[in-house]
Amino acid sequence: DTMAAFVGGGTRTAQGATRCIVHSVRRSPRPTSRIGGVETTPLTAVRHKASAPFDEEYEGLKARRIQGIRPHPDGTTQHILPGNYVIKKNERTGREKRVFLEHAFGYFWAIKELERTDKKPLLSNDDIIPSYEAQTFPKLSGLTNLLDETVDLPDFFTRNNRSKDANAQCTLVALSCKEFGAQLLPSWVDPFSKQLCHGRDSAKFEVVRITLNEGRIAKLLSPFIVSGTKSRIPQPEHGTTLLHYGDADEVKDVLRMHNVYTGYVYLLDGIGRVRWAGSGEGSADEVANLIRIAKELTRPPERATRKKAKASGEHGPRIGKRVGRNGGNAGEK
């Protein structure tokens, strides 16, 4: 008899002999991938002829990505598709495939990207993301702050804005997944907090720090993570320092946080929409631009009044004839 992968439970025949039910297992080929045009195996790539449900889910994830975020032109982030895929073209055949990110660029792609982009996979915005493009910060539930309170996002950002006025406040969200990224965030947070969170209009501005602790072991280590975070963060800011444990792949994709080894910053308006983004270590010019944009976001919208129009010399079109006091036309003598 031929040896199979494994033998199932036996059944006894009428003569008392045991008949074995043999199950064969077909072993899949080992996934292989090499940059330079070599064809990948089916396990490491998904063709564009994917099923309709897969394509629908892919388009849905792509549509949820925050508009206006600027991936670095020299980075890998710009090529990453939802699900951590990239499009790989075979140089010999010209055929394109959807390939897993690590198989296309190697397991150290993130480190190499930081070297090419000066730790900035995302370039900071030069101006405000327009309101018609702005999208709400993605949902993330079950976070805990350093006061051991449970919060949900994005509701936490708008908890003090009962009027739901987009110009009433703005929040700087500082996100990191690794310690190296967390060490870059003070270059943005400290000057923002110093200039905006301690002045006359301090109630309009807030800094929220978020650490994404992924992996199965992270929850088990939560007591050590909490104590270590408390030692670095001033006590008045414990309520706005949030910790998340578990998977956050969808949130990272929406925010374009594909490279987990750096830090990311997002500026939100009063209703939780992302209006500016940046990454890495903030330069003096970038921080100055961030503060300028934060002030613009909290500036009340100008209202067209007759007094302002007169001062600016702008007059709307006059409707009808102007009537003088004696009942005749004002233009008549």
Side-chain angles (χ1 to χ4, degrees):
D1 294 338
T2 304
M3 189 65 181
F6 67 91
V7 180
T11 58
R12 299 190 65 84
T13 62
Q15 290 77 16
T18 301
R19 183 179 64 188
C20 294
I21 302 173
V22 180
H23 304 272
S24 62
V25 176
R26 182 179 181 183
R27 300 181 64 89
S28 300
R30 183 179 297 274
T32 59
S33 178
R34 195 186 315 164
I35 297 177
V38 178
E39 193 79 24
T40 56
T41 63
L43 284 180
T44 63
V46 180
R47 295 185 183 274
H48 287 293
K49 297 179 180 179
S51 61
F54 181 91
D55 286 337
E56 291 176 3
E57 181 181 4
Y58 165 78
E59 292 298 332
L61 291 172
K62 188 176 180 180
R64 285 198 290 270
R65 284 181 165 181
I66 300 298
Q67 300 297 313
I69 290 180
R70 301 170 56 205
H72 197 292
D74 296 329
T76 307
T77 293
Q78 62 177 324
H79 303 296
I80 300 177
L81 307 175
N84 283 334
Y85 289 102
V86 295
I87 297 298
K88 183 75 175 169
K89 186 175 182 179
N90 189 305
E91 295 180 356
R92 292 181 300 175
T93 64
R95 297 169 62 185
E96 292 184 344
K97 287 185 176 183
R98 194 181 292 140
V99 185
F100 285 122
L101 174 62
E102 287 81 6
H103 286 275
F105 295 105
Y107 289 99
F108 299 101
W109 70 267
I111 303 299
K112 296 177 181 177
E113 182 182 43
L114 294 186
E115 295 175 353
R116 295 195 307 270
T117 63
D118 191 25
K119 303 184 288 292
K120 294 179 180 294
L122 303 182
L123 296 175
S124 62
N125 294 92
D126 296 327
D127 211 339
I128 300 175
I129 297 175
S131 59
Y132 59 83
E133 285 187 7
Q135 294 166 271
T136 306
F137 193 92
K139 292 183 179 180
L140 191 61
S141 304
L143 295 88
T144 56
N145 61 15
L146 297 184
L147 302 178
D148 201 27
E149 299 169 336
T150 302
V151 302
D152 298 329
L153 303 180
D155 297 339
F156 182 75
F157 302 130
T158 59
R159 67 195 185 282
N160 298 323
N161 186 10
R162 296 182 179 180
S163 64
K164 302 303 179 184
D165 181 3
N167 302 103
Q169 65 180 55
C170 83
T171 305
L172 179 65
V173 182
L175 268 156
S176 63
C177 302
K178 306 290 185 182
E179 180 61 25
F180 181 75
Q183 293 176 1
L184 302 174
L185 295 177
S187 62
W188 303 95
V189 171
D190 291 351
F192 182 93
S193 179
K194 182 179 180 180
Q195 295 194 37
L196 299 178
C197 298
H198 297 90
R200 183 182 61 181
D201 297 326
S202 59
K204 295 182 178 181
F205 305 98
E206 184 176 55
V207 174
V208 176
R209 296 177 176 86
I210 303 175
T211 302
L212 302 179
N213 301 288
E214 298 183 282
R216 297 178 181 178
I217 198 171
K219 188 62 177 178
L220 299 176
L221 298 176
S222 59
F224 303 99
I225 295 173
V226 171
S227 62
T229 307
K230 282 184 176 180
S231 65
R232 298 194 309 269
I233 305 299
Q235 198 280 333
E237 300 172 13
H238 284 188
T240 55
T241 300
L242 312 180
L243 303 175
H244 172 77
Y245 302 96
D247 176 69
D249 285 342
E250 185 173 335
V251 171
K252 290 190 299 182
D253 185 82
V254 171
L255 296 172
R256 306 308 301 272
M257 291 177 54
H258 307 293
N259 194 322
V260 298
Y261 292 100
T262 190
Y264 297 86
V265 282
Y266 303 89
L267 196 62
L268 278 55
D269 62 17
I271 54 178
R273 298 177 300 183
V274 178
R275 308 300 299 273
W276 177 95
S279 66
E281 187 173 9
S283 66
D285 290 340
E286 288 177 313
V287 171
N289 190 49
L290 164 64
I291 293 173
R292 175 186 66 82
I293 290 176
K295 291 179 179 179
E296 288 186 18
L297 284 176
T298 55
R299 186 178 301 151
E302 294 185 2
R303 296 180 179 178
T305 63
R306 182 176 299 181
K307 188 175 181 180
K308 288 183 179 179
K310 186 176 182 180
S312 61
E314 297 178 0
H315 301 278
R318 187 178 301 278
I319 301 176
K321 295 182 180 181
R322 183 176 179 181
V323 180
R325 291 186 179 181
N326 57 1
N329 293 338
E332 297 176 353
K333 293 183 180 180

